Amino acid sequence: MPLSKYRAMWLVAMFDLPVTTKSARKAYAEFRRTLLERGFTMLQYSVYARYCVSEEASETHRRYLSRTLPSEGQVRFMAITDHQFGKMEVYFGKKRATTEQPPDQMLLF
């Protein structure tokens, strides 16, 4: 049974973190590494997204990440449905590209 594109979510993390000092660059690198370890994919510089099977799963990741935020800078989280994410238009120059696809997943009951 396929997942509903209205129930599945994409959790998007957008951030502007300072990199002016050695400690700030370290905090930036640690936060970015945490995103990658949690299964996020880079969409653009400082914009990462992770596919979640439900809003509850999205909330779990958001709560975890909010405990790992750097002490400086700005981070925003936004959850959107897979259906909304699929409506995104992506361009490389003037050439249109396809949006990222949800990962293949196996459901266990």
Side-chain angles (χ1 to χ4, degrees):
M1 177 174 135
L3 296 173
S4 167
K5 60 185 175 181
Y6 297 99
R7 178 162 162 67
M9 308 291 291
W10 285 86
L11 179 61
V12 180
M14 302 167 282
F15 54 93
D16 287 317
L17 301 177
V19 291
T20 53
T21 66
K22 186 176 181 177
S23 63
R25 284 189 296 276
K26 182 179 179 192
Y28 167 88
E30 287 175 2
F31 183 68
R32 183 180 177 281
R33 188 172 28 256
T34 301
L35 288 171
L36 295 172
E37 289 170 355
R38 298 291 293 190
F40 281 75
T41 301
M42 185 173 82
L43 299 179
Q44 289 185 214
Y45 295 120
S46 300
V47 179
Y48 288 70
R50 185 191 195 287
Y51 180 80
C52 302
V53 296
S54 67
E55 189 170 357
E56 294 79 14
S58 169
E59 181 64 19
T60 299
H61 289 289
R62 190 204 54 77
R63 267 195 316 271
Y64 178 87
L65 289 169
S66 66
R67 293 192 303 266
T68 67
L69 296 175
S71 58
E72 297 181 43
Q74 184 180 95
V75 178
R76 294 173 188 238
F77 297 112
M78 176 175 58
I80 58 175
T81 66
D82 185 41
H83 182 71
Q84 291 168 321
F85 189 86
K87 289 182 171 184
M88 181 178 6
E89 293 183 10
V90 180
Y91 295 89
F92 289 100
K94 292 188 176 201
K95 185 177 180 184
R96 183 143 185 206
T98 58
T99 44
E100 289 72 10
Q101 294 297 310
D104 291 332
Q105 295 187 1
M106 180 173 41
L107 291 176
L108 301 175
F109 293 96

